[in-house]
Amino acid sequence: MKTAISISVGVLLIGTWVAVAAAPRPGGERVAAVAAVRSAGLAPIGVEEPKYTYVGSKKCKMCHTDEHKSWAKTKMGQAFAVLQPDHSKEAKERFKLDPAKDYSRDSACLKCHTTAFGEAGGYFIPDPEDKKSARAAKKLEHVGCESCHGPGSEYIKVFMDILMSKRKYKVEELYAVGLEKITEATCAACHNEESMKIHPGEAFDYEKRKAEGIHDHQPMKQREG
Ligand code: HEC
Ligand code: HEC
Ligand code: HEC
Ligand code: HEC
């Protein structure tokens, strides 16, 4: 009997794993699937620990001041703040959300209003008594750089080398260490049917919204191809 249960749990988890492995942005879900598989005491072949973690938008600011400055002025650069009570009152009333309520610890909202909520190394709900935990979470508030560009722990080291050595690079080198190619699917992680249900608005037009403003763009000088 015990065996039958553990096999069915295993099948269920592996089913989840296969489904998430095929998802457009597998990074974080893959991490979650690995954690689920691990906590069930299973160790499927070919499933590894997460390789990359999230460093926070401030780390990118060091070398990308203009992108950071312009991003911080957009709504995505302030997306966490709107979850605070009395913020964006009119919008919340329009959406039949409660303007007086504090949504900033509500996981139903955090997954789209922070960076990588629930993923290993992503945003988490901090313990208000623990300053260290609050600081770690704070750096991943809002829709940060890594929400679109992927977890930075490794590729920032390569960028550092590119900067210091003044060498040319091909972007594929960075894609191999966590930088993600941005497509419409990147945005659809949050601009989707679920968000339209919570706060109905215009349908998401990728080219239009991309042009509307994510951050200012700088010419790449060391990139080849
Ligand atoms: C599935 C992703 C997703 C979830 C979940 C989500 N949001 Fe949002 N939220 C968005 C997106 C995307 C926008 C921007 C819509 C647009 O501009 O097209 C947005 C916009 C908003 C705005 C508008 C702010 C403004 O600048 O006018 C408020 C307020 C808001 N969300 C609150 C919430 C609250 C509260 C929750 C939880 C109950 C929540 N959201 C859950 C994705 C999400
Ligand atoms: C992690 C979730 C997430 C991802 C990924 C995401 N967005 Fe957003 N986006 C939001 C939320 C949340 C808001 C609304 C924030 C608010 O109003 O406070 C928003 C707002 C916007 C806005 C309005 C900005 C402004 O200042 O008016 C644009 C434009 C936009 N998103 C475009 C995009 C595009 C293009 C992509 C993909 C390249 C993308 N977003 C990816 C969550 C996301
Ligand atoms: C909502 C998604 C999104 C967010 C958030 C975002 N970017 Fe981007 N970023 C893009 C897109 C789209 C491009 C255009 C290139 C492409 O299509 O791949 C881009 C391009 C870049 C480039 C290439 C040079 C340039 O200026 O175009 C750099 C550097 C960059 N982003 C850094 C950042 C930094 C730093 C942050 C955080 C402060 C950030 N990005 C936040 C979507 C995003
Ligand atoms: C130590 C400096 C440094 C840091 C920190 C840094 N970058 Fe960069 N980044 C660079 C350099 C150098 C380039 C190449 C610039 C060029 O070619 O002119 C670059 C290029 C990029 C590009 C363009 C890639 C391409 O060729 O399409 C993106 C996107 C990017 N960085 C995102 C980020 C994000 C997101 C972070 C934070 C997680 C970050 N960077 C942190 C130095 C840095």
Side-chain angles (χ1 to χ4, degrees), residues 25 73-82 87-88 110-116 142-144 147-148 182-191 199 204-206 208-214:
R25 239 188 117 243
K73 288 184 188 145
T74 68
K75 286 188 173 176
M76 283 192 281
Q78 299 161 25
F80 181 78
V82 304
H87 197 295
S88 300
L110 292 169
K111 65 176 182 179
C112 300
H113 286 258
T114 66
T115 306
H142 315 298
V143 180
S147 295
C148 292
I182 296 174
T183 66
E184 190 162 356
T186 312
C187 321
C190 306
H191 292 269
H199 16 53
F204 185 76
D205 178 333
Y206 177 58
K208 184 170 162 249
R209 299 306 293 277
K210 201 163 87 163
E212 230 173 73
I214 294 173

Side-chain angles (χ1 to χ4, degrees), residues 64-188:
H64 299 297
T65 334
D66 290 337
E67 284 88 351
H68 189 281
K69 201 172 160 195
S70 51
W71 161 83
K73 288 184 188 145
T74 68
K75 286 188 173 176
M76 283 192 281
Q78 299 161 25
F80 181 78
V82 304
L83 303 179
Q84 308 284 0
D86 297 329
H87 197 295
S88 300
K89 272 185 169 170
E90 272 174 38
K92 284 179 186 153
E93 273 160 11
R94 207 161 10 119
F95 303 141
K96 308 217 162 27
L97 292 165
D98 179 358
K101 190 176 161 189
D102 182 0
Y103 289 100
S104 70
R105 300 178 69 80
D106 187 337
S107 51
C109 314
L110 292 169
K111 65 176 182 179
C112 300
H113 286 258
T114 66
T115 306
F117 174 69
E119 294 181 18
Y123 186 84
F124 59 94
I125 300 172
D127 171 0
E129 304 294 312
D130 176 358
K131 284 204 177 123
K132 207 174 151 205
S133 132
R135 263 201 310 276
K138 191 160 181 54
K139 67 181 190 189
L140 298 175
E141 285 176 355
H142 315 298
V143 180
C145 315
E146 295 165 290
S147 295
C148 292
H149 291 292
S153 60
E154 283 305 308
Y155 68 72
I156 69 169
K157 295 182 196 159
V158 178
F159 277 138
M160 175 70 92
D161 170 65
I162 291 170
L163 181 77
M164 302 307 279
S165 65
K166 304 192 171 69
R167 67 176 172 87
K168 296 278 181 195
Y169 74 93
K170 288 201 167 74
V171 70
E172 286 71 24
E173 182 187 345
L174 286 308
Y175 289 157
V177 289
L179 190 74
E180 284 173 22
K181 192 177 168 67
I182 296 174
T183 66
E184 190 162 356
T186 312
C187 321

